[in-house]
Amino acid sequence: LIDKYLYAMRFSDETLMDIMKRFRRELGNGLGRDTNHTATVKMLPTFVRSIPDGSEKGDFIALDLGGSAFRILRVKVSHEKKQTVQMESQIYDTPEDIIHGSGARLFDHVAECLGDFMEKQNIKDKKLSVGFTFSFPCAQTKLNEFSHKQICCTMDYDADIMAVVNDTVGTMMTCGFDDQRCEVGIIIGTGTNACYMEELRHIDLVEGDEGRMCINTEWGAFGDDGMLEDIRTEFDREIDRGSLNPGKQLFEKMVSGMYMGELVRLILVKMAKEGFLFEGRITPELLTKGKFETKHVSSIEKSKEGLTKAKDILGRLGVEPSADDCIAVQHVCTIVSHRSANLIAATLGGILSRLKDNKGNPRLRTTVGIDGSLYKMHPQYARRLHKTVRRLVPESDVRFLLSESGSSKGAAMVTAVAYRLADQRRQITETLAEFRLTSDQLLEVKKRMRTEIQNGLGKKTHDSATVKMWPTYVLSTPDGSENGDFLALDLGGTNFRVLLVKIRSGKRRTVEMHNKIYAIPMEVMQGTGEELFDHIVQCISDFLDYMGMKNTRLPLGFTFSFPCRQTSLDVGILVTWTKGFKATDCEGEDVVGLLREGIKRREEFDLDVVAVVNDTVGTMMTCAYEEPTCEVGLIAGTGSNACYMEEMRNIEMVEGDVGRMCVNMEWGAFGDNGCLDDIRTEYDRAVDDFSLNPGKQRYEKMCSGMYLGEIVRNILIDLTKRGFLFRGQISETLKTRGIFETKFLSQIESDRLALLQVRSILQQLGLDSTCDDSIIVKEVCGTVSHRAAQLCGAGMAAVVDKIRENRGLNQMNITVGVDGTLYKLHPHFSGIMHQTVKELAPKCNVNFLLSEDGSGKGAALITAVGCRMREQEEQKS
């Protein structure tokens, strides 16, 4: 019955010969220049050009990353009388959440474990060569590509990543160390793959035709073009449909350990449904994906205790098998694993017959290095595979060699010293040196910021000051008694938000928020002021409908994140548009007035506009609601700005000497009078010259998200012109302003090691980069963002020191509320900035607190504080 049921899984030798021929065709397609891009079997060159010849020596480290655990080995190859290999290794677990998390976390984890291993081996001070086995498809253009020195950037040890080796290649190299005839490596485990030594003259994708190179076939994808449809069964299709990568790796899904248990489970479910097994009983366990594992298949197939195991395993699935059921299930397992061995024999046969033809010998003598759990653990697998291979390729003498610790030791064997062109390195370092600011330079920036702050606060100097220090008329931070429903508007970029914020005081203070986001089209940003404010009022109207609150006259706070001169809490005169806005008839006008006129024109609802709020002040207020020591706000995002609580006596623009008021610094314009020219580079000047507002906001252009990508792009163009990048070719993309968004900087810098990620980001930008290019791009990004964080820190140091001196304190604790994508998303920005503040303002103990929605919740809190102050005034009078 079962034979009839699974006859599609049993192959005659004729069928296997046919599959072998198909696979040979695929090998040729993968190697050909014109056919490679459509080939399923990718035939990736590995740049491993020879098997060990016995003269290698040295002390190497090998990393082996390919599944849920990874190994680190120290391999010493020595030459006393004969070549010997000494190995010490340690296994490190990779937690689930890291496996499924970001590349950055994975490689951080690897780097940490490597540090731990080197410490235990007492070799942190030695510079050792590292071979890195990476068992995932990986297109290489050089031996040490992809991992390179990135793993060492942030660790306190020195290691040189010399070679990236695929585990299959590692297996071949290890066996090649013991048997010089070894020229094929196969893995048959969770996944499956093979590599072999191909003649260079046949590898179109690599220059040169002398000698040989190891090719990583990535044969798991054989059949992805439909080539194996005639032998795939309904069960194979079901597995594929339910997999993470439908339509991909179809051959692997028919043969590898990862899917074998699942195949058997699907067959058992179908047979049970049709009443052939377990008297038609089907349990939830039997229907659960992954409940029947490949190791179960291996146990059930053992000749002696197999049937007992079957009873036990099926019992756990709740199906209460009869003796006949157990025999039937054992038979199903045998057929599925036998099919796997047969298919691998056919594809291996294709490689062997190709090797034989390459050599032109009537008989092939060769060794195949094999590794992988399925081959090692499964009772009859190896025997079946060897027999079938000998039948399919009779004119060959094949020795199968089980690789021990193949992948890692192989990586050490293959480790080859890589060097970069010293001259190129020196020039790039010189170019980037201008961005590396010394402590003295940063102190000087802090001192100049302090001078500009004084100028902005002084009555006589204010008009000519670059850092405007606008009074905000916010006289206090929240005290916890705020209460009520408030509307907040948030306009600061291409999106516009309307929020309803319900603040409740009392023992358990709560803030509940509802909001909607609306886009502001480019034509509105750059149209007339009336169109812009009509659009805003239209969005408010939609939101009030949505919340069902058209009839209440709510107090409103308007977060308006552009430079404003305030003359009271509810009057804000727009000084200049920034961030790409250009709406006419707004500059010099009161934005609250413009909003009120827009509401009048619509005649649908009325609102009590209490406060115009700058997002920086909102950020400070939100944090102050949670943390009363917060008296500074900082935005480090698209733009850059800060505010803080200044003593009234120092604000000469405003009447009164008692108490404090929050000043909106508008520090982005720091340097507009030329006081930062000595640290601006030619790239900063280029970015400024081509911006919407040349000569304005120069400090912001050196440290805010909107411009960092542009600085990077300008440096990359220069390096490309000088022949150091992208083979000297400046693509159209690279010439496009604004293409290099700051989020790319965050992504590129976030992975210590994953240069493949960097390459794919660059490819999305149409920049075809080699691995070396990626390293340089990464270094450029790091240098530019490092300087940005330091400059931002120098400005902040000036602010907190000013507050400390205002209060006549020797030491001061203070909290800064921060918001902004650059601060939140960039992997290193916040850390470098904190460190800079610490070094430049040692007498201040500064705590940075991430603000939750300063522009929305903050605006509501300012409105609430404003309403509270208004009531107090009314009561007095």
Side-chain angles (χ1 to χ4, degrees):
L1 172 80
I2 289 173
D3 287 348
K4 195 168 119 216
Y5 205 81
L6 295 179
Y7 83 100
M9 288 195 161
R10 314 200 86 170
F11 303 133
S12 64
D13 278 4
E14 200 181 357
T15 306
L16 290 174
M17 294 293 270
D18 183 25
I19 293 168
M20 181 166 114
K21 277 203 198 95
R22 296 182 210 179
F23 185 67
R24 261 204 77 164
R25 271 206 307 279
E26 280 303 289
L27 293 177
N29 290 342
L31 290 169
R33 175 169 287 121
D34 302 327
T35 44
N36 172 274
H37 60 287
T38 53
T40 52
V41 178
K42 276 300 175 206
M43 306 296 281
L44 304 169
T46 64
F47 299 85
V48 170
R49 293 167 192 272
S50 77
I51 296 166
D53 66 0
S55 65
E56 298 81 5
K57 61 173 187 279
D59 197 346
F60 304 106
I61 291 224
L63 298 178
D64 181 2
L65 180 64
S68 53
F70 73 99
R71 282 199 308 168
I72 303 185
L73 294 92
R74 182 180 183 186
V75 185
K76 289 188 204 160
V77 187
S78 61
H79 268 280
E80 265 65 63
K81 294 193 177 78
K82 72 185 209 24
Q83 198 175 20
T84 56
V85 178
Q86 250 184 301
M87 299 204 294
E88 295 169 71
S89 75
Q90 190 172 339
I91 291 186
Y92 291 85
D93 273 335
T94 309
E96 272 291 294
D97 60 336
I98 290 188
I99 294 179
H100 300 298
S102 67
R105 288 194 49 209
L106 177 62
F107 284 109
D108 284 0
H109 178 66
V110 172
E112 242 168 75
C113 297
L114 183 57
D116 173 75
F117 181 79
M118 290 175 85
E119 203 153 331
K120 287 186 180 143
Q121 289 278 329
N122 222 349
I123 43 180
K124 266 205 161 167
D125 48 355
K126 283 192 185 175
K127 181 163 184 170
L128 291 190
S129 299
V130 176
F132 192 90
T133 308
F134 192 69
S135 315
F136 308 98
C138 173
Q140 272 177 276
T141 56
K142 225 200 275 73
L143 248 186
N144 57 346
E145 179 179 305
F146 162 73
S147 41
H148 248 93
K149 308 196 174 52
Q150 301 301 316
I151 202 163
C152 322
C153 290
T154 51
M155 304 314 279
D156 53 353
Y157 53 83
D158 200 358
D160 227 338
I161 304 245
M162 297 296 188
V164 180
V165 182
N166 172 287
D167 55 349
T168 323
V169 182
T171 297
M172 180 190 79
M173 295 302 274
T174 309
C175 293
F177 186 69
D178 301 323
D179 177 343
Q180 242 97 72
R181 275 218 181 81
C182 180
E183 47 193 350
V184 182
I186 308 190
I187 303 268
I188 315 169
T190 319
T192 180
N193 194 9
C195 69
Y196 70 101
M197 296 301 288
E198 176 60 63
E199 304 298 312
L200 208 51
R201 64 177 186 274
H202 295 153
I203 309 173
D204 287 0
L205 300 175
V206 178
E207 283 172 15
D209 19 300
E210 286 301 298
R212 302 198 301 168
M213 181 182 284
C214 178
I215 287 289
N216 163 17
T217 64
E218 291 294 343
W219 77 9
F222 177 40
D224 287 7
D225 55 358
M227 165 99 51
L228 298 176
E229 283 315 297
D230 55 333
I231 60 163
R232 288 175 72 229
T233 63
E234 56 180 305
F235 307 108
D236 296 305
R237 295 197 171 88
E238 191 169 344
I239 279 219
D240 180 47
R241 280 197 300 274
S243 68
L244 290 170
N245 53 349
K248 299 268 195 302
Q249 300 294 103
L250 296 183
F251 178 68
E252 187 174 77
K253 286 173 187 162
M254 294 169 79
V255 300
S256 84
M258 181 154 178
Y259 303 97
M260 192 173 281
E262 192 56 12
L263 268 172
V264 171
R265 185 185 72 77
L266 293 174
I267 294 168
L268 300 186
V269 167
K270 181 160 188 206
M271 290 180 72
K273 279 186 179 160
E274 294 182 17
F276 297 135
L277 277 179
F278 319 132
E279 300 176 340
R281 266 194 307 282
I282 290 173
T283 62
E285 288 86 331
L286 186 61
L287 290 173
T288 307
K289 188 172 173 179
K291 276 282 186 201
F292 201 98
E293 297 172 50
T294 301
K295 63 178 184 202
H296 298 151
V297 180
S298 301
S299 312
I300 290 173
E301 269 193 77
K302 292 206 167 93
S303 48
K304 291 213 176 65
E305 69 265 38
L307 292 173
T308 324
K309 288 278 188 212
K311 193 169 170 55
D312 180 38
I313 289 161
L314 294 167
R316 271 179 296 182
L317 295 176
V319 292
E320 301 168 22
S322 66
D324 283 347
D325 285 340
C326 292
I327 293 169
V329 170
Q330 187 178 50
H331 199 47
V332 169
C333 290
T334 309
I335 289 175
V336 171
S337 67
H338 203 132
R339 177 182 76 154
S340 166
N342 278 339
L343 286 171
I344 295 272
T347 46
L348 176 56
I351 289 177
L352 294 172
S353 67
R354 183 170 173 99
L355 276 175
K356 178 176 162 296
D357 292 357
N358 280 349
K359 293 180 197 248
N361 292 344
R363 261 194 106 64
L364 173 72
R365 279 195 69 185
T366 192
T367 298
V368 175
I370 298 203
D371 200 353
S373 47
L374 197 57
Y375 181 86
K376 289 201 268 202
M377 308 301 188
H378 202 85
Q380 284 94 32
Y381 199 101
R383 215 184 66 245
R384 283 180 197 148
L385 174 71
H386 302 170
K387 269 173 61 179
T388 312
V389 168
R390 292 188 177 115
R391 284 205 315 278
L392 294 178
V393 196
E395 57 291 329
S396 63
D397 303 306
V398 185
R399 176 182 179 210
F400 289 88
L401 191 57
L402 192 58
S403 148
E404 8 119 7
S405 62
S407 38
S408 337
K409 179 169 153 192
M413 297 311 308
V414 100
T415 295
V417 180
Y419 63 90
R420 302 288 310 285
L421 303 170
D423 181 49
Q424 172 177 327
R425 182 72 299 207
R426 183 181 56 74
Q427 290 194 48
I428 292 172
T429 307
E430 267 170 31
T431 300
L432 296 179
E434 289 183 79
F435 287 88
R436 300 200 157 95
L437 301 174
T438 63
S439 303
D440 289 349
Q441 283 174 306
L442 289 168
L443 261 172
E444 189 51 43
V445 173
K446 174 191 167 187
K447 216 164 81 192
R448 293 176 197 170
M449 175 68 90
R450 183 61 193 269
T451 308
E452 296 303 316
I453 289 175
Q454 288 308 130
N455 292 343
L457 290 170
K459 207 168 200 160
K460 296 191 175 106
T461 44
H462 174 85
D463 288 345
S464 61
T466 52
V467 178
K468 282 297 183 201
M469 308 297 290
W470 299 114
T472 64
Y473 297 86
V474 170
L475 302 172
S476 106
T477 50
D479 65 1
S481 69
E482 294 74 21
N483 200 26
D485 293 356
F486 305 92
L487 209 54
L489 307 183
D490 174 15
L491 176 66
T494 46
N495 284 333
F496 166 66
R497 281 191 314 157
V498 187
L499 303 93
L500 175 68
V501 184
K502 302 183 172 200
I503 302 175
R504 299 293 176 261
S505 60
K507 257 193 194 138
R508 291 195 46 223
R509 299 185 308 171
T510 58
V511 177
E512 182 194 325
M513 304 206 285
H514 305 268
N515 75 64
K516 263 184 106 168
I517 295 178
Y518 301 90
I520 295 192
M522 186 60 82
E523 60 272 18
V524 176
M525 282 167 70
Q526 306 190 348
T528 68
E530 197 163 291
E531 285 165 350
L532 174 63
F533 279 89
D534 283 346
H535 179 73
I536 289 172
V537 172
Q538 156 75 49
C539 298
I540 300 173
S541 168
D542 173 81
F543 181 75
L544 291 173
D545 281 337
Y546 170 69
M547 295 301 297
M549 297 189 78
K550 266 264 167 78
N551 309 325
T552 25
R553 184 168 187 260
L554 292 167
L556 175 133
F558 184 11
T559 299
F560 188 75
S561 310
F562 301 93
C564 262
R565 186 175 81 249
Q566 279 187 260
T567 53
S568 70
L569 190 58
D570 64 347
V571 175
I573 290 146
L574 174 61
V575 181
T576 64
W577 280 123
T578 54
K579 302 185 233 188
F581 273 74
K582 281 207 158 159
T584 56
D585 308 323
C586 294
E587 292 181 354
E589 298 295 327
D590 169 23
V591 293
V592 174
L594 296 174
L595 176 63
R596 284 180 179 140
E597 282 163 25
I599 294 172
K600 266 211 196 83
R601 277 197 296 278
R602 197 168 174 96
E603 294 184 332
E604 266 186 32
F605 53 86
D606 193 20
L607 296 168
D608 171 18
V609 187
V610 176
V612 60
V613 180
N614 176 283
D615 56 342
T616 321
V617 184
T619 297
M620 177 188 79
M621 293 295 269
T622 316
C623 288
Y625 189 64
E626 310 296 336
E627 172 49 70
T629 60
C630 176
E631 301 190 66
V632 185
L634 168 69
I635 298 274
T638 318
S640 179
N641 193 15
C643 69
Y644 70 96
M645 296 302 287
E646 178 57 274
E647 307 300 315
M648 284 290 277
R649 63 173 188 271
N650 295 336
I651 311 172
E652 296 181 9
M653 318 279 296
V654 179
E655 301 286 303
D657 285 344
V658 186
R660 297 178 183 146
M661 180 189 284
C662 179
V663 237
N664 164 19
M665 297 176 65
E666 289 298 342
W667 79 4
F670 176 40
D672 289 4
N673 55 4
C675 71
L676 294 177
D677 285 0
D678 56 336
I679 59 166
R680 289 172 75 228
T681 65
E682 59 179 289
Y683 310 105
D684 293 306
R685 289 191 283 277
V687 169
D688 183 32
D689 291 344
F690 288 104
S691 66
L692 286 170
N693 52 350
K696 300 262 196 316
Q697 302 291 101
R698 287 183 177 171
Y699 178 61
E700 180 169 79
K701 283 173 187 162
M702 292 166 84
C703 63
S704 84
M706 184 155 178
Y707 301 99
L708 296 187
E710 251 328 77
I711 300 175
V712 167
R713 189 182 67 85
N714 278 283
I715 299 172
L716 297 185
I717 285 182
D718 182 43
L719 294 180
T720 308
K721 278 183 185 155
R722 289 153 65 186
F724 302 154
L725 271 178
F726 310 129
R727 294 173 284 290
Q729 303 295 308
I730 299 183
S731 63
E732 280 311 307
T733 314
L734 200 51
K735 290 182 197 155
T736 314
R737 282 213 299 281
I739 184 75
F740 220 97
E741 295 170 47
T742 301
K743 67 168 185 207
F744 291 135
L745 263 74
S746 294
Q747 288 168 358
I748 286 173
E749 286 183 68
S750 65
D751 313 330
R752 295 265 162 80
L753 218 160
L755 285 182
L756 281 184
Q757 264 101 318
V758 179
R759 283 179 74 188
S760 73
I761 291 167
L762 293 172
Q763 268 153 5
Q764 283 166 28
L765 296 175
L767 299 169
D768 184 23
S769 76
T770 64
C771 184
D772 291 352
D773 291 340
S774 305
I775 289 174
I776 295 171
V777 169
K778 191 161 179 171
E779 186 181 358
V780 170
C781 293
T783 307
V784 170
S785 61
H786 192 272
R787 181 189 69 161
Q790 285 183 316
L791 285 172
C792 187
M796 188 41 71
V799 173
V800 292
D801 251 348
K802 168 98 170 72
I803 297 173
R804 184 182 61 78
E805 286 169 31
N806 281 348
R807 300 182 188 178
L809 297 170
N810 194 22
Q811 273 290 336
M812 176 183 74
N813 294 336
I814 192 162
T815 298
V816 177
V818 200
D819 201 354
T821 44
L822 192 59
Y823 184 89
K824 287 204 273 205
L825 303 182
H826 191 282
H828 313 300
F829 186 92
S830 57
I832 296 163
M833 189 192 82
H834 298 170
Q835 190 53 37
T836 309
V837 175
K838 202 172 179 170
E839 284 165 13
L840 299 182
K843 293 181 176 174
C844 299
N845 205 345
V846 186
N847 170 32
F848 289 89
L849 200 62
L850 256 185
S851 155
E852 282 302 309
D853 191 14
S855 36
K857 187 170 160 187
L861 283 164
I862 291 173
T863 308
V865 171
C867 289
R868 188 186 87 212
M869 301 294 240
R870 198 163 64 180
E871 280 159 25
Q872 285 167 357
E873 284 302 309
E874 282 163 7
Q875 279 163 6
K876 272 185 202 161
S877 59

